[in-house]
Amino acid sequence: MRKSATALCQLAAFLFAVTTGSIAALAADDQDHDGKSGGTADHAKFEELKKDFASGPEVTKACLSCHNKAGDQVMHSIHWKWEFQNEKTGQTLGKSHVINAFCGNVAANEPRCTSCHVGYGWTDMAAGPPKDETKVDCLACHDRTGTYTKIATAAGAVPVEPVSPTAKTITGAKAVALDLGKIARSVGLPQRENCGQCHFYGGGGDNVKHGDLSSVLFQPTKAVDVHMDKDGLNFACSKCHVSNEHQWAGSRYDVKAIDTVGTGKPGARRDVATCESCHGASPHPIDTVAGIKLNNHTGRVACQTCHIPSFARGGVATKTKWDWSTAGKLKEGAPYHEEDFTQSDGQHLHTYLSTKGDFEWGENVTPYYAWFDGQVRYTLADETIDPTKTVEINRIKGSPDDPNSRIWPFKRMEGRQAYDAKLNHLVYNHVFGPETDSAFWTNFDWDKAIKAAMEHVGVEYSGDYGFVDTHMYWPITHMVAPKEDALACAECHARDGRLASLAGFYMPGRDHFSWLDIIGYLAIAGALGGVILHGLARVMMRGRTKH
Amino acid sequence: MTDQNHYHDIRAQEKPPVIKKKNKAGLCPGQNHYVMIYTRYERFWHWSQAALIFALFFTGLNIHGTFSLISFKLAVTIHTFAAIALIVLWIFTTFWNFTTGQWRQYLFKEGIFKIIRFYAYGIIVGEPHPYKKGLQRKQNALQSLAYMTFMLIVGPALWSTGIIYLLYDLWRDMPYAGVILPIVAFLHTAAAFMIAIFVIVHVYMTTTGKSVLHYVKTMITGYDCVELTEAEEAYIRETQSVSIIE
């Protein structure tokens, strides 16, 4: 999705250190409580794997010769389809359908976006993911060497000889030819490194999208994430996102916002990835008033709200604002960039790119809070919008009166993005595609870029475009801080606390009845004044009275 | 009967005389006697209630957001414990009031307007107090009314709303819980303001005795000057049921 060379050079240098140094160490480390993988097969001993492989699909074919159901399972997962049918809202969601406040859309930009697909060669959204089982990418998730990468712009292809000298991986590092045979012989269960290669880089860069998923989580300290702490619990993602037939618990589209069932002992529950699935619904000790009170909060306040005091912690910033409307400015006919944000690790981040417009970044960001019942309704391209107002790319559903809602933390992404100024629809745009003359990143022509994308997807476009302010919400659920760092009560129970603007419910410390307070304080002042006057009168009259 | 009398005699001999002679003649003018009118339990009740109410008021204001002298967490903890302690104290005191018959002290008395007139005017010009304290009339008409209001209206408004507030978790899923909570909070806050005014006036009234600290001393020692009827005096001397200093 991104071809911005200089920034990526710096990113690459940083990532090189991360991916070669710490990840090599990580590969030897099991990210499990006891350091054991639980596996029963040494893949180095399989005859099918004792050879060199020329491509990803060739490896997959070997995998499937034993794991004969795995291909079919993956092809039924959201990781494969990039499509999610939300039964509760009736919307068809998933990367292949939604419009977001970042790069906008996958459709028409496939080879860049589908580089993160768990498959090879998905070059057309309209045609759907490949039908061939050997196109499933087993290694993206099961590589344990820490060396497996995919080329950032080749629809999921892996770098094999000869590699173009300018080729980059998904994470922005320089692409080098893979030893697929070695990787295939050392496969194991997915670890943070595997999931993170894609999920930490959503939106085209480190921590750009989520805010709570960054490269910091490859080797986090306890302060960044108490569960993934490299010196502590060291959880792999799959400790919480348990799987069943290659389907993972936990969904951003259909969030389990409240879970009263709690722990599913013995053995983990496989249907949810909530805090309660391990910690139960009354996680605080009940030997103090504060503990009891905190447990009373659990039906109203998500664990994340208090236990993730801020996101984008640990040194990697997240993108907080993306204004596409300023994209396309050139200096002497050439695209340029500005790097006015310095991340706490010293790295400079883009604040303007001719290809993308203006950005803002944030570290240790205070979340936006909202009542959330787990459902978000997306503003899809067929929905009419009101361009005079900020358009909610996804609307958070939930209310204080609904027992299935809780107060949740969100990253609120501010955007300004293209829409159809006549039909009042959000539009798809075609940004990546070096070989076409309609790609915005090549030609800086919105009209062509939008028209091409709309035609590609098959949606009506009036030919008139404008820019509209947008908000997009990302539930915050990772980067759980140690309990000592959880929010103090007064962070919310205060006149101007974190929940100051959340309406529709009464909260002690924040809410009061202004006129009752005025009457009350006046009455106290009146009583004090009255007794003082009365006392003075007694003192003054003392000498003159008959005793 | 003989046995009982015999028993009584032994008790009278063995126990130290309740009527103490401490050469304090002149403590009380006229026919008044310096009598213990507030028993040890009443004084314990009074002062522990005072301490709890102060603790509740200040932690309450802290929770309410009026100020933040201590952390919200500590304020809630103290407020909760003090509230539970006060409720226990009230339950026990209610029991005490009814078993001892002291509840009658709070009944409505006539002459309230005379008392009001006295505090509004008479006290300033030095008129004598219109109310004669007696063993069965420890409180004047205004006091009885004020304490009765405190015990029957303001107190119950506070502890009932407080308990409902405290147990929010048990009823939060009821319909209209979101509407009930602010009403409960409103009543609780309003009652707290009323208590504050009661305390201010009450503390000030302690200065209206023979000396500024006279009533405070009474509430600490338990003794005050009261009129005793002949029958009362005879009864006390016979039974030694109430301590008198002469």
Side-chain angles (χ1 to χ4, degrees):
Chain A
M1 213 174 289
R2 150 169 330 197
K3 292 256 291 176
S4 40
T6 38
L8 285 181
C9 281
Q10 285 175 327
L11 193 62
F14 169 65
L15 287 166
F16 190 71
V18 174
T19 45
T20 53
S22 50
I23 286 167
L26 188 146
D29 180 6
D30 240 316
Q31 291 184 19
D32 268 316
H33 266 133
D34 48 9
K36 292 172 185 162
S37 70
T40 53
D42 180 355
H43 285 79
K45 291 182 178 159
F46 285 114
E47 285 307 318
E48 288 87 343
L49 302 178
K50 285 182 180 168
K51 58 176 182 178
D52 291 331
F53 294 95
S55 73
E58 241 179 70
V59 179
T60 301
K61 203 172 167 188
C63 301
L64 294 174
S65 65
C66 290
H67 301 277
N68 53 23
K69 288 172 77 178
D72 185 59
Q73 288 174 354
V74 170
M75 289 170 82
H76 283 92
S77 73
I78 190 172
H79 270 131
W80 181 261
K81 294 188 287 184
W82 283 12
E83 182 177 287
F84 181 83
Q85 202 65 45
N86 191 334
E87 308 290 347
K88 291 168 188 158
T89 62
Q91 287 191 308
T92 303
L93 305 173
K95 283 183 198 306
S96 59
H97 297 280
V98 299
I99 289 174
N100 67 45
F102 296 83
C103 292
N105 48 282
V106 177
N109 304 300
E110 282 86 351
R112 180 68 177 87
C113 301
T114 54
S115 61
C116 262
H117 187 234
V118 292
Y120 303 112
W122 190 4
T123 51
D124 182 8
M125 280 297 117
K131 306 282 188 290
D132 174 1
E133 277 194 6
T134 64
K135 294 295 172 70
V136 169
D137 181 355
C138 307
L139 297 178
C141 305
H142 294 284
D143 164 48
R144 296 302 312 279
T145 64
T147 60
Y148 186 77
T149 54
K150 309 229 271 185
I151 296 172
T153 56
V158 295
V160 285
E161 293 288 2
V163 183
S164 153
T166 57
K168 293 282 187 325
T169 72
I170 294 168
T171 64
K174 184 178 177 343
V176 291
L178 301 182
D179 183 346
L180 287 172
K182 187 181 169 208
I183 293 168
R185 287 186 291 275
S186 54
V187 289
L189 292 173
Q191 306 298 336
R192 294 197 298 273
E193 158 58 12
N194 302 96
C195 307
Q197 292 277 327
C198 285
H199 289 279
F200 298 167
Y201 294 87
D206 197 355
N207 207 14
V208 163
K209 258 184 189 167
H210 289 267
D212 61 343
L213 290 173
S214 79
S215 65
V216 173
L217 295 177
F218 284 133
Q219 292 290 296
T221 60
K222 190 176 180 185
V224 170
D225 192 297
V226 73
H227 299 110
M228 299 191 232
D229 173 16
K230 64 185 190 308
D231 301 318
L233 294 171
N234 204 21
F235 279 6
C237 307
S238 53
K239 269 279 191 258
C240 299
H241 296 274
V242 288
S243 73
N244 190 6
E245 297 186 345
H246 282 94
Q247 316 278 330
W248 304 97
S251 164
R252 184 164 60 82
Y253 293 119
D254 183 11
V255 176
K256 190 94 180 164
I258 191 160
D259 177 21
T260 52
V261 179
T263 52
K265 294 170 188 165
R269 291 171 65 190
R270 300 187 98 76
D271 59 330
V272 290
T274 64
C275 307
E276 295 96 320
S277 11
C278 290
H279 291 282
S282 298
H284 305 97
I286 53 163
D287 55 356
T288 62
V289 168
I292 294 167
K293 275 278 143 204
L294 288 174
N295 280 336
N296 292 352
H297 282 66
T298 56
R300 282 286 179 263
V301 183
C303 308
Q304 289 88 334
T305 294
C306 298
H307 290 279
I308 308 176
S310 64
F311 58 87
R313 296 203 312 275
V316 173
T318 188
K319 197 169 278 187
T320 56
K321 188 173 178 178
W322 186 330
D323 181 357
W324 276 102
S325 71
T326 57
K329 288 188 281 186
L330 304 174
K331 268 184 187 165
E332 291 160 10
Y336 69 101
H337 64 266
E338 290 161 9
E339 293 177 355
D340 286 341
F341 183 89
T342 309
Q343 199 165 268
S344 65
D345 65 2
Q347 193 188 344
H348 298 285
L349 300 182
H350 282 142
T351 48
Y352 181 76
L353 276 168
S354 295
T355 47
K356 297 182 177 181
D358 282 298
F359 305 137
E360 285 176 16
W361 300 84
E363 272 188 71
N364 305 310
V365 183
T366 302
Y368 169 88
Y369 298 96
W371 287 95
F372 185 40
D373 67 0
Q375 296 303 313
V376 283
R377 195 168 179 91
Y378 275 74
T379 303
L380 299 170
D382 58 359
E383 193 168 327
T384 306
I385 58 165
D386 177 357
T388 62
K389 293 187 184 135
T390 299
V391 172
E392 309 270 280
I393 296 291
N394 59 350
R395 274 164 290 164
I396 308 162
K397 257 189 82 229
S399 113
D401 306 319
D402 169 20
N404 293 317
S405 294
R406 294 199 298 192
I407 296 168
W408 267 71
F410 290 87
K411 170 184 169 178
R412 184 166 80 175
M413 178 70 185
E414 290 176 39
R416 189 161 171 76
Q417 56 198 97
Y419 78 106
D420 186 318
K422 265 207 188 106
L423 300 172
N424 289 336
H425 291 165
L426 289 173
V427 292
Y428 293 94
N429 53 48
H430 172 49
V431 291
F432 177 80
E435 70 283 356
T436 65
D437 78 333
S438 53
F440 185 80
W441 291 349
T442 317
N443 295 299
F444 303 101
D445 185 335
W446 277 114
D447 197 39
K448 282 183 180 174
I450 296 169
K451 193 175 285 169
M454 297 299 267
E455 264 171 29
H456 184 91
V457 181
V459 183
E460 191 188 354
Y461 172 54
S462 72
D464 251 356
Y465 69 90
F467 290 90
V468 64
D469 287 325
T470 60
H471 279 159
M472 188 174 189
Y473 302 92
W474 295 74
I476 294 295
T477 194
H478 306 98
M479 293 191 174
V480 175
K483 61 183 172 195
E484 310 82 71
D485 298 339
L487 290 188
C489 311
E491 288 280 347
C492 297
H493 291 280
R495 293 274 188 268
D496 51 359
R498 291 187 181 221
L499 303 184
S501 57
L502 212 53
F505 66 105
Y506 182 86
M507 185 167 70
R510 180 192 73 165
D511 298 320
H512 58 131
F513 311 90
S514 314
W515 58 270
L516 173 67
D517 273 14
I518 292 167
I519 292 170
Y521 297 136
L522 280 178
I524 288 176
L528 281 170
V531 299
I532 288 168
L533 285 177
H534 194 269
L536 280 175
R538 280 166 57 207
V539 171
M540 284 163 60
M541 294 296 284
R542 187 180 281 166
R544 303 176 216 173
T545 53
K546 45 200 174 180
H547 262 300
Chain B
M1 279 305 278
T2 323
D3 278 348
Q4 218 171 21
N5 284 339
H6 177 65
Y7 175 69
H8 191 220
D9 288 342
I10 290 169
R11 264 187 49 172
Q13 281 162 16
E14 285 176 353
K15 281 187 76 178
V18 182
I19 299 166
K20 298 167 188 167
K21 293 192 188 288
K22 285 194 175 173
N23 294 324
K24 290 216 174 177
L27 267 175
C28 302
Q31 295 304 303
N32 286 356
H33 297 266
Y34 200 55
V35 179
M36 178 182 282
I37 57 167
Y38 300 119
T39 62
R40 195 173 289 141
Y41 180 75
E42 279 175 292
R43 285 174 280 144
F44 163 77
W45 163 34
H46 176 266
W47 290 113
S48 53
Q49 178 172 253
L52 290 170
I53 285 174
F54 271 96
L56 283 162
F57 187 68
F58 284 103
T59 52
L61 285 181
N62 206 103
I63 294 164
H64 187 58
T66 307
F67 50 73
S68 305
L69 290 179
I70 54 173
S71 76
F72 191 88
K73 186 174 167 182
L74 183 62
V76 169
T77 303
I78 296 174
H79 200 77
T80 307
F81 275 118
I84 292 167
L86 189 58
I87 288 166
V88 170
L89 182 70
W90 276 341
I91 290 170
F92 199 79
T93 301
T94 304
F95 176 75
W96 179 89
N97 265 316
F98 280 97
T99 52
T100 59
Q102 287 294 312
W103 63 275
R104 289 199 177 83
Q105 300 277 1
Y106 300 93
L107 290 179
F108 181 77
K109 299 180 179 70
E110 289 188 357
I112 192 158
F113 291 106
K114 277 186 195 161
I115 311 288
I116 292 171
R117 185 195 167 275
F118 168 75
Y119 283 116
Y121 172 74
I123 191 171
I124 294 170
V125 298
E127 285 177 6
H129 203 294
Y131 190 77
K132 297 279 180 282
K133 243 182 203 179
L135 207 52
Q136 299 305 318
R137 309 186 312 272
K138 297 180 196 174
Q139 303 156 1
N140 65 45
L142 188 60
Q143 277 178 303
S144 292
L145 186 69
Y147 300 159
M148 194 68 151
T149 310
F150 178 91
M151 292 203 296
L152 284 189
I153 297 171
V154 186
L158 262 177
W159 61 253
S160 60
T161 51
I163 290 171
I164 294 169
Y165 211 147
L166 198 61
L167 300 181
Y168 167 70
D169 211 43
L170 297 181
W171 54 273
R172 67 175 191 202
D173 292 331
M174 271 172 43
Y176 305 112
V179 183
I180 295 167
L181 180 65
I183 294 172
V184 169
F186 178 91
L187 293 175
H188 195 68
T189 314
F193 279 126
M194 281 191 248
I195 293 270
I197 291 154
F198 173 88
V199 169
I200 289 166
V201 176
H202 181 74
V203 170
Y204 172 71
M205 294 298 263
T206 66
T207 68
T208 61
K210 271 187 292 188
S211 70
V212 169
L213 290 175
H214 173 82
Y215 287 140
V216 175
K217 207 178 136 201
T218 300
M219 212 58 228
I220 292 170
T221 64
Y223 287 93
D224 200 2
C225 301
V226 294
E227 266 189 352
L228 293 178
T229 61
E230 266 178 39
E232 277 175 338
E233 201 178 336
Y235 177 78
I236 290 168
R237 287 184 193 285
E238 176 61 26
T239 61
Q240 302 191 354
S241 56
V242 175
S243 185
I244 300 178
I245 294 175
E246 289 183 303

